Structure formats: C-alpha cells, structure tokens
Amino acid sequence: MAGYNPAQFNVWPASEWLINYQGGFVRRGLIGEILFQLSSGNALLPLLNRLVFFLYVFYYLIFLLIFWFAKIRNLSLLIIALLIPGGIFQMGVSTSFYTRKEIIFLILFGSLCLIYHRITSLETKKRKAWLASFALLSIFGGVFLTLSHEAYLFMGFPYAAILFWVVKKENPEQLFFNWAFKVFLLAIPLTFSLCVAKHGSVDIAQSIWNSLPLLDRVALSPHAPYTTYGAVMGIGWDKLQALSTVYGVFVTTGWVYWIFFALANYIVLGYICGNNATLFNKAHTNRYISLLSIPCTISLVMFVIASDWGRWIASSGNHVILLGLTLLGSHYANSQRLKVFHLWPEKWIYDARFIYSKWVFWIIIFYEIIFMMPECCVQYPYIFTPYLSFTKVIIHW
C-alpha cells in the first residue's frame, strides 16, 4: 500500500461515485462504471480525488463567468454569493457538497447558462447552431446525469426546464427547438422511471462492492472490507428504509436547525436575486420571481424523499443563484409585467430597497462566515465554521 492515496473526503459520497454496473444495470451506476473501466483494475480513489477537485475548480470558473456576463459590477454581491452556506466558499473549506454528484448537476446547468448568454448575444439568424447545442446538451446531458444519480429529476431538471422554456419563448421562430423541448420534458422522467425500475437489491449491492479493488474497500471500510458499506449498501435499501431517514430528522430535532438554515439561505438568495431593479415597481412585478420560484418549489420534493436536507438546500441555492444571474439579461423574464395581489401598502414596495443598506449587508456576512451548513445529520457543535481547526492545519504544515 506504499504511495496509495486513500479517501480524501467522507466515505459515503466517495462510495456513491463508485456504484457501477458490475452487478447488472442499476440506478446511479453510470459514472462509477466509467471510472471502473478507466481504472483498468487499479485503485479508484486516487482517480476520484482528482476528479472531484477538478469538478470543483471547473464549477468555480463557470460561476465567475456567469456573474461576469450578468454585468453586475457589485463586489459586495459577489462576496455574498460566494460565502453563502453550501456555496463555493464552504465547499472549499470543508470538502463538502462538491464531493457529491450534485456538482455535475451545477456544471451542466452552468454550461447551459453560458450557452444562453451566447445565444442572446447573437442576431436571431445566427443563433441556430447555439440553440441546437443548448437542446442537445440539455437532453443528452440530462439523461447522463439521471443515470448517474436519479435525483437529477428533482434537483437539476426543474431549473434546466425553466431555462429551456425561456430560450424557447425568446426564439419562437425555431420550430425544431419546440420539438426538442418536448423531447427533453419526456426524456428525463422516462430515464428516472427506468432508474426506479432498476432500484437495486442486496445482492446487486454486494456484487458492486466485490468488484471494487481491495485497496479501495479497505480505505472505505477498514474493519470490514468484504461487507457492503456506504452508499453502495444503500443500493440494497428498500423504499421504507430510505424514507425512515426522514423520520430521523424529526426524532433527533434536526428539523430546528434545518428551518434556520433554510430560512436564512433563502433570505440571502432574495438579497442576491432581488438586485434586479424591476422588482420594485408599485403593484407590478415581472416574470423574474416566478421563473426562480417555480423550479425552487418543485425541488422541495427532495425534502420528503431523504434526510440529506443540507444537500438539498445547497443544491437549490446554487441553482437559484445561477438562474437568477442568468435571467437578469432575459427579455422574456423582465419585459412583461404582471399584476400581483399584495396585502401591504404600495409605499412598502418602494421602501423595500432598504434591504440593500450596509447594516443588512453586514448581518448577512456575519451569518455566512459564522455558520457552516452540514450536508446531513445536523448537530449543534457542527453548525459553526471550524476556523480553529484550519489554524491547527496551517501550524502543522
């Protein structure tokens, strides 16, 4: 084992990447099968460590490009977007979130956002090739990600569908794009249905685990390397076992902390995306809020499926930021105003700009640098950013 690079992050997400088709076709197995074939029988974890770090850097670059194309020359807004719990800063200091498969959901959606920016920068006659690229990446990329993790249907698909819809509305003369949109709406749910049908079993889970190199199994489960462990073991769970994890959120009173993080994070998202000045216009608003709210609401289904509530908050938060920044330049999202009903005086809408005062900014910064959102299994001591542990690492180095 000399020179072997063991797992560099949590065992559960590491083992999830390694689920493959060596026990037969099963949900979540596509990426693991690709890694298995590329490894040629060698240990997989060193390759996986490099992969997830590359994906994190790639997502960071995509995020910065989207912010730049949004033409928001506001450093304080960028700082808040980077520091939000579950966002890029926390990913970097805690090796969490980006080590999950959701990072590729974000990379795909971010790539679609960049293609959208390119489409809107061209004359209508010159858009066809980029529209085709958008449609093909949405369909084939979405199918690939659903086969890699079926939760894409709830976590990434709603946001991609909304952006697809916006592109379709802004390019009504492209009939092929309308058909591509329908194919997209069918392809992802059908692929999800296939994954549900091939949910997995205890025997398949054991076959997958046995196919992994012994070095990897020892690193992931040193005390029982021949017994299925981690996310591979989860392939053998039935539906009641999976749903029972949600029950654990309530019996451990973890729901109190999740309510705190959910409310605080979504308030921060409102601060970031509400920067669009057209939101404050008497009793009228535009489609912008609806286009952000619809996919975010749909993604809430994840909260009743499994207990990793921090993952769901982080995923929806990152998607909302990407979509919000992208739609700031959307003609469809911002040009047509819709009448809305409200219970507060109209002058309060004008006064809503007080949220961009300095004291609100510093309250948000305080929240972001003090609190660290866990992926799951939240406990009191672990909701604060462990700056002292960073100091110990630096001193040791």
Side-chain angles (χ1 to χ4, degrees):
M1 294 180 66
Y4 177 63
N5 190 14
Q8 298 295 314
F9 52 94
N10 188 278
V11 167
W12 196 277
S15 58
E16 186 175 278
W17 286 94
L18 302 183
I19 297 170
N20 56 43
Y21 294 151
Q22 296 305 301
F25 179 83
V26 71
R27 63 191 176 100
R28 306 187 185 184
L30 182 54
I31 289 182
E33 181 64 21
I34 294 173
L35 291 173
F36 182 84
Q37 297 298 331
L38 290 176
S39 69
S40 302
N42 297 318
L44 291 162
L45 289 177
L47 175 62
L48 180 60
N49 291 332
R50 292 192 293 270
L51 173 64
V52 295
F53 179 72
F54 168 78
L55 292 175
Y56 169 66
V57 173
F58 192 37
Y59 171 57
Y60 184 31
L61 294 175
I62 288 175
F63 183 93
L64 293 178
L65 282 174
I66 291 174
F67 192 90
W68 176 262
F69 286 130
K71 298 180 180 179
I72 302 175
R73 302 300 179 254
N74 187 331
L75 182 59
S76 63
L77 207 63
L78 175 60
I79 292 172
I80 286 177
L82 292 174
L83 292 180
I84 187 171
I88 288 174
F89 173 74
Q90 184 177 339
M91 290 182 191
V93 300
S94 65
T95 64
S96 60
F97 301 112
Y98 80 87
T99 57
R100 299 280 188 170
K101 288 182 177 178
E102 290 93 279
I103 191 67
I104 53 177
F105 300 174
L106 294 171
I107 288 175
L108 174 65
F109 185 64
S111 300
L112 293 175
C113 291
L114 292 176
I115 294 176
Y116 172 76
H117 279 296
R118 180 59 179 165
I119 291 171
T120 56
S121 68
L122 296 172
E123 297 178 5
T124 303
K125 296 180 180 179
K126 298 180 180 180
R127 294 179 176 180
K128 194 166 185 178
W130 285 100
L131 288 169
S133 300
F134 184 98
L136 291 173
L137 184 59
S138 297
I139 295 170
F140 290 104
V143 170
F144 178 88
L145 294 188
T146 308
L147 292 174
S148 301
H149 197 305
E150 70 279 7
Y152 177 75
L153 178 71
F154 307 106
M155 300 174 71
F157 174 66
Y159 297 94
I162 283 293
L163 187 58
F164 210 135
W165 171 266
V166 171
V167 178
K168 183 175 78 74
K169 284 296 184 179
E170 294 180 344
N171 298 273
E173 71 287 347
Q174 302 291 346
L175 296 180
F176 84 91
F177 201 78
N178 291 331
W179 282 105
F181 181 65
K182 295 175 183 178
V183 171
F184 175 70
L185 292 182
L186 287 174
I188 309 306
L190 286 175
T191 307
F192 173 82
S193 299
L194 176 63
C195 292
V196 172
K198 299 294 183 178
H199 180 272
S201 66
V202 174
D203 291 337
I204 290 177
Q206 188 64 55
S207 297
I208 295 171
W209 183 257
N210 292 342
S211 72
L212 301 179
L214 181 59
L215 283 174
D216 292 330
R217 284 182 279 152
V218 170
L220 296 172
S221 180
H223 301 295
Y226 296 98
T227 304
T228 313
Y229 188 69
V232 177
M233 176 179 61
I235 290 295
W237 287 1
D238 59 27
K239 293 181 177 62
L240 287 179
Q241 283 178 289
L243 291 176
S244 67
T245 62
V246 179
Y247 173 72
V249 174
F250 295 95
V251 297
T252 61
T253 67
W255 60 272
V256 176
Y257 300 106
W258 291 131
I259 288 177
F260 166 74
F261 279 112
L263 290 177
N265 264 35
Y266 288 115
I267 289 173
V268 174
L269 290 176
Y271 184 94
I272 296 170
C273 298
N275 189 62
N276 185 3
T278 59
L279 297 182
F280 307 103
N281 190 336
K282 294 187 177 180
H284 294 76
T285 188
N286 49 32
R287 285 191 175 97
Y288 184 82
I289 291 180
S290 297
L291 292 173
L292 295 181
S293 301
I294 291 172
C296 185
T297 302
I298 294 174
S299 68
L300 296 180
V301 175
M302 290 303 303
F303 287 84
V304 299
I305 293 177
S307 63
D308 295 350
W309 286 13
R311 294 173 64 186
W312 317 149
I313 296 171
S315 178
S316 67
N318 280 275
H319 275 94
V320 167
I321 292 175
L322 295 179
L323 182 60
L325 293 174
T326 301
L327 292 184
L328 286 178
S330 167
H331 173 75
Y332 176 77
N334 295 287
S335 62
Q336 185 171 349
R337 302 182 186 282
L338 304 173
K339 185 75 175 181
V340 294
F341 176 76
H342 57 79
L343 299 175
W344 50 84
E346 289 187 8
K347 69 182 185 67
W348 286 17
I349 299 178
Y350 290 111
D351 296 340
R353 289 188 177 276
F354 82 90
I355 66 172
Y356 295 103
S357 61
K358 290 184 178 180
W359 65 271
V360 174
F361 169 79
W362 286 112
I363 289 176
I364 291 176
I365 291 294
F366 176 81
Y367 162 70
E368 292 183 331
I369 64 176
I370 295 298
F371 293 98
M372 185 174 73
M373 185 169 65
E375 292 178 338
C376 65
C377 308
V378 60
Q379 298 177 35
Y380 170 74
Y382 305 111
I383 64 173
F384 302 103
T385 307
Y387 291 107
L388 289 179
S389 64
F390 303 154
T391 305
K392 293 177 182 177
V393 170
I394 294 173
I395 294 174
H396 176 73
W397 182 82

